[in-house]
């Protein structure tokens, strides 16, 4: 993901707030309260919990944290200021969400997404589809350095293809995100890939080479799992592909020329164009291509019988801002060919803001640093140090709702401990990425989880079980630590034996 659009300031320069008045049990009170309230809320509302009630629960969790802060002499203004900084840090994410909503609308009515689905259905079959999703998204994400861009472009199209093939949306989304986050981790263009070594005290390419030792085996296992799943998928009840292709052709003018827009957007990202600018250009070009290639569709959405200036303007604006649905002769395609525009992203934006309130108060009262400090003291072995780093990253992704804090806070708190154990800094940077970066998407109220869920149109809990790369990565880094595989020592330090790592 592109943090230069999420946090204008450098994340590594952010101060970690400590509070000597606070003890670990007080720091955990808001966490336990939030978990309890969210569990009951999901039990009551089920899949509708993210429609608004979970957002309020996050605010209630922030209120509990504020009460703990008041009892520990944290001024109200300090908490509000930290919340304001947290919300401010999501400005780029919010704008990206709005532009993705607008882009998905114009790419739908222009025929870009339908064309991707049309050609994809002819190339991909259910047996190889999931593994192909991983590989395609990995390539795009390595090239762009952004899992967010990958989801917003090829990810949306792959979800549509998978749905048309009768494959579970959760499986497809899990494959998309597995590939997207592999590329995000391994790309030198990715900001988290630059942030982790900066926090640990190593250089970028040392970090990437060392991280590949755990990341390549993990993506290999992931692809093998998806290949096996491909052979076991039952698509006997899937819609007739020929009928779907015919319906797409009846509703849209399909041509390879439409691929110029997504190719240009991806090229701009590769050339380090700011994602907001690339998305804006992609949205406007989508609107232009809609007028050129799909005049009847634009006229219908614009409320006119034929295309003229007014119907073109209204049609394009509606596709970017509000719900848009294209009626086809195939009922299976009607849900697929719909987009919420910018309006459809407001619920996710609401969720992110409320999550930042909770994370901001937790940070202001010193709870985040206290939890990390307690985890650091809990283990005394080398393996325990790795385990506490992983646990800290997971905990911060769930409590701070921000993958940058899940890298920055443990990075600052654990750097000296790794040196004291004679461990090279790339051990820490690799562990931060293996646990902090990739697990953020598995948390529904984390900015990453909320974003990908909304863009792909798949509930977080539906894809979390299939995002094999994302939850296998922390286990892989712990397995390497437990077996003393490629645990690099500082210069002049002897290589640790297995018994040294575990004792």
């Amino acid at each position: 993901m592109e943090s230069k659009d999420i946090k204008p300031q450098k994340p590594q320069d952010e101060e970690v707030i400590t509070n000597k008045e606070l003890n670990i049990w007080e720091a955990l009170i808001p966490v336990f309260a939030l978990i309890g309230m969210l569990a009951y809320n999901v039990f009551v509302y089920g899949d509708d919990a993210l429609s608004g009630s979970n957002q309020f629960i996050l605010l209630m969790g922030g209120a509990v944290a504020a009460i703990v802060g008041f009892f520990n002499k944290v001024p109200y203004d300090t908490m509000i200021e930290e919340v304001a900084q947290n919300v401010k840090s999501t400005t780029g994410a919010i704008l990206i969400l709005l532009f993705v909503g607008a882009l998905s609308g114009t790419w739908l009515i222009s025929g870009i997404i339908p064309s991707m689905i049309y050609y994809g259905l002819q190339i991909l079959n259910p047996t190889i589809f999931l593994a192909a999703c991983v590989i395609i998204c990995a390539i795009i994400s390595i090239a762009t350095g952004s899992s967010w861009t990958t989801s917003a472009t090829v990810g949306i199209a792959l979800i549509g293809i998978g749905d048309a093939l009768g494959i579970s949306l959760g499986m497809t989304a899990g494959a998309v995100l597995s590939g997207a986050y592999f590329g995000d981790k391994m790309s030198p263009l990715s900001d988290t890939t630059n942030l982790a070594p900066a926090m640990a005290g190593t250089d970028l390419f040392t970090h990437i080479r060392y991280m590949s030792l755990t990341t390549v085996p993990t993506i290999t296992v992931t692809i093998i799992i998806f290949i096996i799943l491909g052979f076991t998928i039952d698509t006997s009840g899937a819609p007739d592909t020929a009928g779907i292709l015919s319906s797409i052709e009846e509703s849209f003018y399909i041509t390879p020329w439409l691929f110029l827009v997504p190719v240009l957007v991806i090229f701009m990202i590769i050339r380090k164009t700011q994602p907001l600018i690339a998305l804006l250009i992609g949205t406007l070009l989508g609107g232009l291509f809609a007028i050129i290639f799909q005049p009847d569709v634009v006229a219908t959405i614009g409320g006119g019988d034929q295309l003229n200036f007014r119907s073109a303007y209204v049609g394009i604006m509606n596709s970017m801002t509000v719900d848009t649905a294209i009626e086809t002769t195939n009922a299976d395609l009607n849900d697929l060919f719909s987009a919420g525009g910018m309006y459809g992203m407001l619920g996710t934006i609401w969720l992110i803001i409320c999550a930042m309130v909770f994370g901001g108060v937790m940070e202001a009262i010193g709870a985040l640093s206290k939890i990390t400090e307690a985890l650091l003291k809990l283990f005394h072995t080398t393996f325990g140090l790795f385990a506490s780093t992983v646990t800290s990253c997971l905990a911060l992704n769930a409590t701070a709702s921000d993958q940058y804090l899940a890298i920055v806070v443990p990075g600052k708190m654990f750097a000296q401990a790794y040196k004291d154990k004679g461990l090279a800094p790339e051990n820490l940077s690799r562990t931060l990425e293996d646990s902090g970066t990739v697990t953020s998407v598995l948390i529904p109220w984390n900015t990453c989880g909320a974003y990908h869920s909304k863009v792909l149109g798949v509930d977080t809990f539906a894809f979390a079980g299939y995002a094999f790369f994302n939850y296998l990565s922390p286990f892989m880094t712990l397995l390497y630590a437990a077996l003393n595989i490629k645990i690099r020592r500082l210069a002049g330090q002897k290589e640790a034996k297995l018994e040294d790592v575990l004792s």
Side-chain angles (χ1 to χ4, degrees), residues 255-274:
T255 171
W257 287 108
L258 291 166
F259 289 109
L260 285 175
V261 178
V263 168
L264 178 61
V265 170
I266 292 171
F267 176 76
M268 286 190 292
I269 297 293
I270 294 172
R271 298 295 297 173
K272 299 185 180 181
T273 302
Q274 292 287 341

Side-chain angles (χ1 to χ4, degrees), residues 17 31 49 59 69 81 107 133 148 173-174 178-179 237 242 295 299 325 363 373 377 415 445 447 457 482 489:
I17 299 174
V31 177
L59 294 180
E81 176 61 26
W107 282 22
C133 282
W148 284 36
S178 291
E363 192 174 0
E373 182 183 341
K377 292 179 179 178
W445 53 88
T447 52
R489 311 292 292 183

Side-chain angles (χ1 to χ4, degrees), residues 365-434:
I365 68 175
L368 299 184
S369 62
K370 182 62 68 173
I371 292 171
T372 305
E373 182 183 341
L375 287 169
L376 180 58
K377 292 179 179 178
L378 192 60
F379 301 102
H380 302 287
T381 65
T382 299
F383 172 75
L385 184 59
F386 281 88
S388 59
T389 307
V390 170
T391 305
S392 180
C393 290
L394 296 175
L396 285 163
N397 262 327
T399 55
S401 306
D402 181 82
Q403 70 170 344
Y404 301 104
L405 285 176
I407 293 174
V408 170
V409 175
K412 289 189 174 183
M413 301 292 288
F414 285 74
Q416 188 59 47
Y418 276 74
K419 290 180 182 178
D420 292 344
K421 285 286 185 182
L423 298 169
E426 49 265 35
N427 289 286
L428 175 57
S429 66
R430 181 177 73 183
T431 307
L432 292 174
E433 282 250 70
D434 282 345

Side-chain angles (χ1 to χ4, degrees), residues 18 41 55 62 70 77 137 185 205 215 251 275 282 287 298-299 324 342-343 385 434 442 449 495:
T18 58
N41 195 60
Q55 284 87 326
F70 289 139
D77 289 344
C137 290
K185 279 183 66 181
F205 290 101
T215 303
S251 303
V298 176
T324 302
M342 297 169 75
Y343 173 79
L385 184 59
D434 282 345
L442 305 177
E495 289 296 320

Side-chain angles (χ1 to χ4, degrees), residues 486-502:
K486 299 297 182 180
I487 304 301
R488 188 169 295 169
R489 311 292 292 183
L490 288 170
Q493 296 278 339
K494 65 180 180 67
E495 289 296 320
K497 298 179 180 178
L498 180 59
E499 55 268 28
D500 296 329
V501 174
L502 299 174

Side-chain angles (χ1 to χ4, degrees), residues 214-494:
T214 56
T215 303
V216 172
T218 305
I219 197 65
T220 303
V221 171
T222 299
I223 292 173
I224 291 171
I225 293 173
F226 278 118
I227 290 173
I228 294 171
L229 282 177
F231 283 105
T232 61
I233 291 173
D234 179 14
T235 57
S236 57
D240 176 42
T241 303
I244 293 175
L245 295 175
S246 177
S247 294
I248 294 174
E249 286 183 305
E250 291 174 9
S251 303
F252 296 93
Y253 174 69
I254 302 299
T255 171
W257 287 108
L258 291 166
F259 289 109
L260 285 175
V261 178
V263 168
L264 178 61
V265 170
I266 292 171
F267 176 76
M268 286 190 292
I269 297 293
I270 294 172
R271 298 295 297 173
K272 299 185 180 181
T273 302
Q274 292 287 341
L276 286 174
I277 297 173
L279 290 172
L280 173 60
I281 293 173
T283 299
L284 297 177
L285 286 177
L288 177 62
F289 273 48
I291 294 171
I292 296 171
F293 292 101
Q294 320 294 341
D296 293 339
V297 173
V298 176
T300 300
I301 295 173
D305 295 327
Q306 59 183 5
L307 188 67
N308 53 43
F309 183 81
R310 184 184 186 283
S311 63
Y313 177 79
V314 173
I316 299 300
M317 287 298 291
N318 283 350
S319 71
M320 290 191 293
T321 57
V322 296
D323 293 334
T324 302
I326 308 297
E327 294 292 329
T328 70
T329 57
N330 190 308
D332 294 320
L333 287 175
N334 290 339
D335 287 339
L336 189 59
F337 290 162
S338 61
M342 297 169 75
Y343 173 79
M345 295 295 177
L346 295 181
T348 303
I349 291 171
W350 180 16
L351 176 66
I352 289 173
I353 291 173
C354 292
M356 290 300 101
V357 171
F358 176 74
V361 178
M362 286 288 286
E363 192 174 0
I365 68 175
L368 299 184
S369 62
K370 182 62 68 173
I371 292 171
T372 305
E373 182 183 341
L375 287 169
L376 180 58
K377 292 179 179 178
L378 192 60
F379 301 102
H380 302 287
T381 65
T382 299
F383 172 75
L385 184 59
F386 281 88
S388 59
T389 307
V390 170
T391 305
S392 180
C393 290
L394 296 175
L396 285 163
N397 262 327
T399 55
S401 306
D402 181 82
Q403 70 170 344
Y404 301 104
L405 285 176
I407 293 174
V408 170
V409 175
K412 289 189 174 183
M413 301 292 288
F414 285 74
Q416 188 59 47
Y418 276 74
K419 290 180 182 178
D420 292 344
K421 285 286 185 182
L423 298 169
E426 49 265 35
N427 289 286
L428 175 57
S429 66
R430 181 177 73 183
T431 307
L432 292 174
E433 282 250 70
D434 282 345
S435 50
T437 299
V438 299
T439 60
S440 57
V441 73
L442 305 177
I443 310 297
W445 53 88
N446 189 287
T447 52
C448 294
Y451 171 85
H452 289 289
S453 175
K454 188 62 182 179
V455 168
L456 297 177
V458 184
D459 185 79
T460 310
F461 292 118
F463 65 64
Y466 295 106
F468 299 113
F469 176 80
N470 299 71
Y471 66 75
L472 286 177
S473 290
F475 289 106
M476 185 65 73
T477 202
L478 289 177
L479 179 64
Y480 272 51
L483 298 179
N484 193 27
I485 301 173
K486 299 297 182 180
I487 304 301
R488 188 169 295 169
R489 311 292 292 183
L490 288 170
Q493 296 278 339
K494 65 180 180 67

